[in-house]
């Protein structure tokens, strides 16, 4: 019984090292931001809170995009074309 604690600690340490690391989302470059802004304005959105690229899901995400009526939407954009592929009311 005196070896139970060190073995448990060793098991937890190895498990922590074995879990995959998730990539962090990233903000758009100035060129990407300009292109995304043009797409959003063309679609009738007036403002939004945050734009980030979700590396795990391979898509752009726009939080709280506001349309001309003031409704808020969360948007998913295609990674290369920036086309809006999903709109979800916030």
């Amino acid at each position: 019984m005196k070896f139970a604690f060190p073995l448990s600690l060793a098991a937890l340490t190895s498990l922590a090292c074995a879990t995959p690391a998730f990539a962090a989302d990233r903000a758009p470059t100035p060129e990407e931001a300009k292109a995304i802004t043009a797409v959003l304005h063309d679609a009738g959105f007036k403002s939004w809170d945050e734009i980030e690229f979700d590396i795990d899901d391979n898509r752009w995400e726009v939080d709280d995009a506001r349309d001309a009526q003031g409704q808020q939407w969360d948007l998913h954009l295609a990674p290369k074309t920036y086309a809006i592929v999903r709109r979800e009311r916030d």
Side-chain angles (χ1 to χ4, degrees):
M1 196 62 157
K2 78 187 335 193
F3 295 109
F5 178 72
L7 288 177
S8 297
L9 184 58
L12 287 174
T13 302
S14 65
L15 180 61
C17 294
T19 56
F22 293 101
D25 296 340
R26 70 169 181 85
T29 65
E31 295 81 19
E32 290 167 335
K34 184 177 178 181
I36 292 169
T37 296
V39 167
L40 295 176
H41 283 154
D42 288 347
F45 291 99
K46 305 299 180 193
S47 64
W48 44 87
D49 288 343
E50 182 179 24
I51 300 172
E52 62 185 6
F53 187 75
D54 186 324
I55 294 171
D56 293 328
D57 292 331
N58 193 38
R59 68 180 178 214
W60 288 100
E61 296 180 350
V62 181
D63 294 330
D64 300 331
R66 290 166 206 76
D67 62 18
Q69 291 76 35
Q71 296 179 354
Q72 289 189 6
W73 301 84
D74 287 336
L75 308 173
H76 295 170
L77 280 60
K80 302 256 187 241
T81 65
Y82 312 115
I84 298 171
V85 295
R86 182 172 179 196
R87 298 175 189 228
E88 185 176 311
R89 286 278 303 269
D90 198 24

